[in-house]
Amino acid sequence: MSDEAGRRSRRDDDDFGPPLFGDDATGELERSGPLSFGPSDTGPLPHWTSPPTGELPSTLSIPHTPSEPTDDLDVWSSFTDDAPVWSDDPAPTGEVDVPAISERGEVFDDDLVDPSSPTARRGPSRITIGTDPTDDRMGRPMPKSRGRSGRIDPSRGAQRPARPAAAPAARSGRDMPAAVAAGLIIAAAFIAALLWKPWAVLVIVVAVVVLAAVEFYDKVSEKGYRPATIAGIAASAALPLAAYWVGEQALPLVLVFAFAAACLTFVTSSGIESSPLPNAAITMLGVVWVGVLGSFAALIVSWSNGADTVNVGTDTLFLLALGVVANDVGALFIGSAAGRTPLRQWISPNKTVEGFLGGTIMTILAMVVVGVADASDTWNSTGDLIILGVVVALATPLGDLTESMFKRNLDIKDFGSIIKGHGGVLDRFDGFLFVLPAVYYLTLVLEPWVS
């Protein structure tokens, strides 16, 4: 029985392959030499008592073809060797290429790859710690940050890919006969209102302020902003009315209500996509620039409602308008004839230092003529008239440059198009906006009717 069991056991072992330890008939281990791992080994293993050599064992490379990727390599293929960087770390030497961002917030890693190509590789190239991944360009125009080389300025952060600039539209020349005719009509209506009743002048003031506010909000909306237009126009209309009937102390109250109305408009919006910060700011810009500054015309006219100052308001407003017109005429003719030095090149190359000096001289000369002719019942001192002329000559170019600066920022030629080649209401009355408060406070200081 024992021999038969032994034979059966050896037969079963033969079915599963050769014996693991190679035992022989004697039952002793077969010693075939030192332990070996294959034909590429370099020799026997070192004895455990030998000192370490410091060599690293080599790994076996798994051959594969691109068409048959291994799972092990695919697991690690999503990781890169780029280390995270802080957003305020200094940039390395040389020019830094910031990845461009598409409309959906996708990052194009390689400038050499066309972002519009369907095969362009998309995905984050490097983790930047300390940046806000949300889109902060909602509700306002994008600045132009790409230079001629097509690279993005690193100081501006990631911007949208530049789009080809549209061909500039042909600009029509100034229609001087139409401009002169419109100016004469406005001057006739203004003088008639001054000679009739102060409230008639107030009607003209409110109409001009409202039309200018409409032009402003319409143009900024066209350029990508979303202001609270109704609140802005309503506040611009209320400011001169409140100033005329209540006085200067009513202006802060109207401003508070205007700001609250603008904030309420964006609080009740659907979400942060309404961009409340820039759009509330652009709303209040229109209210302050057009409404508040324009309301000082109503404050000046309101002086004519007093028993002792019946002609103060109308006389002052007439001299103010005369000074602004004289300044524009002098700057136009002197600047066209001898203008060589730009006043502010980046704002308006056509406004020159020579034109500024010519406008100043013409304004002061007009005030001197009024004083010599004794044409004003209120401003009867030539010295006061000269001071008035200097203030008008300094404030009028500031109003012109401010409007030109805003138009340059919005990339527009005019805010309106009532007069061909001359723009709208805001373009015609921009010089008055800073003159009105300046003359108002100058009159309070000088009190020319007293002398």
Side-chain angles (χ1 to χ4, degrees):
M1 293 295 291
S2 62
D3 294 339
E4 182 66 18
R7 286 193 296 270
R8 187 182 304 111
S9 175
R10 285 192 294 271
R11 187 165 53 249
D12 293 339
D13 292 338
D14 294 338
D15 294 339
F16 289 95
L20 182 61
F21 298 102
D23 56 336
D24 55 5
T26 60
E28 296 181 358
L29 291 176
E30 181 182 1
R31 302 183 184 276
S32 57
L35 183 63
S36 176
F37 292 95
S40 62
D41 54 326
T42 58
L45 291 176
H47 195 267
W48 66 272
T49 59
S50 302
T53 61
E55 298 180 356
L56 296 177
S58 59
T59 59
L60 297 178
S61 60
I62 303 175
H64 65 279
T65 60
S67 61
E68 298 177 356
T70 61
D71 293 338
D72 292 338
L73 294 180
D74 287 341
V75 170
W76 301 100
S77 62
S78 61
F79 293 86
T80 66
D81 56 353
D82 293 331
V85 296
W86 294 96
S87 59
D88 55 353
D89 284 345
T93 58
E95 189 170 7
V96 180
D97 290 335
V98 180
I101 299 180
S102 69
E103 296 288 341
R104 296 180 299 175
E106 298 167 334
V107 178
F108 302 104
D109 296 336
D110 195 352
D111 286 344
L112 301 178
V113 179
D114 184 10
S116 61
S117 173
T119 60
R121 182 169 63 90
R122 298 174 180 178
S125 172
R126 174 170 290 191
I127 303 172
T128 302
I129 303 173
T131 59
D132 185 5
T134 58
D135 187 3
D136 63 344
R137 299 177 295 273
M138 298 177 293
R140 63 183 187 274
M142 287 298 300
K144 299 177 181 178
S145 60
R146 287 181 179 264
R148 295 182 179 180
S149 63
R151 296 183 180 274
I152 303 176
D153 185 2
S155 63
R156 294 179 180 267
Q159 302 290 342
R160 297 181 181 180
R163 299 178 180 177
R171 295 185 176 181
S172 58
R174 290 178 175 267
D175 189 351
M176 293 303 297
V180 173
L184 292 176
I185 293 174
I186 295 174
F190 177 68
I191 294 174
L194 288 175
L195 296 176
W196 187 29
K197 296 290 184 180
W199 64 263
V201 182
L202 175 65
V203 172
I204 296 178
V205 170
V206 173
V208 169
V209 169
V210 170
L211 289 176
V214 170
E215 290 177 348
F216 173 79
Y217 289 116
D218 179 68
K219 191 61 65 174
V220 297
S221 298
E222 178 184 321
K223 289 300 178 178
Y225 291 95
R226 294 296 177 265
T229 303
I230 297 177
I233 296 176
S236 299
L239 281 165
L241 294 173
Y244 182 81
W245 275 299
V246 179
E248 184 181 353
Q249 63 271 19
L251 299 183
L253 179 62
V254 177
L255 276 177
V256 170
F257 279 116
F259 183 65
C263 292
L264 182 62
T265 300
F266 297 107
V267 166
T268 56
S269 63
S270 58
I272 196 64
E273 292 78 9
S274 62
S275 294
L277 181 59
N279 289 326
I282 204 72
T283 301
M284 295 308 297
L285 173 62
V287 172
V288 174
W289 183 35
V290 178
V292 173
L293 298 185
S295 65
F296 280 90
L299 287 173
I300 293 174
V301 174
S302 65
W303 289 335
S304 295
N305 292 327
D308 298 331
T309 58
V310 63
N311 294 325
V312 171
T314 54
D315 281 0
T316 302
L317 198 59
F318 174 78
L319 293 175
L320 183 152
L322 178 62
V324 172
V325 172
N327 187 273
D328 289 340
V329 172
L332 176 63
F333 284 100
I334 303 299
S336 301
R340 297 293 183 271
T341 308
L343 192 59
R344 296 300 295 167
Q345 176 71 34
W346 70 274
I347 296 178
S348 179
N350 295 328
K351 293 180 174 61
T352 62
V353 175
E354 294 79 6
F356 170 76
L357 296 176
T360 302
I361 294 173
M362 187 67 70
T363 303
I364 296 176
L365 182 61
M367 297 298 105
V368 171
V369 171
V370 171
V372 171
D374 198 15
S376 174
D377 296 334
T378 302
W379 294 78
N380 47 29
S381 171
T382 305
D384 291 344
L385 286 169
I386 292 176
I387 297 175
L388 176 63
V390 172
V391 171
V392 172
L394 294 177
T396 301
L398 177 60
D400 292 335
L401 289 173
T402 300
E403 198 223 12
S404 297
M405 178 177 62
F406 291 158
K407 290 193 295 185
R408 178 62 62 94
N409 195 189
L410 293 173
D411 196 18
I412 60 175
K413 183 179 183 297
D414 296 308
F415 275 102
S417 57
I418 293 179
I419 306 174
K420 181 181 178 181
H422 291 264
V425 174
L426 185 54
D427 299 291
R428 294 305 93 209
F429 289 92
D430 56 349
F432 285 83
L433 293 177
F434 284 96
V435 175
L436 289 169
V439 172
Y440 173 79
Y441 290 110
L442 175 67
T443 307
L444 291 180
V445 172
L446 296 180
E447 294 184 349
W449 62 90
V450 175
S451 59

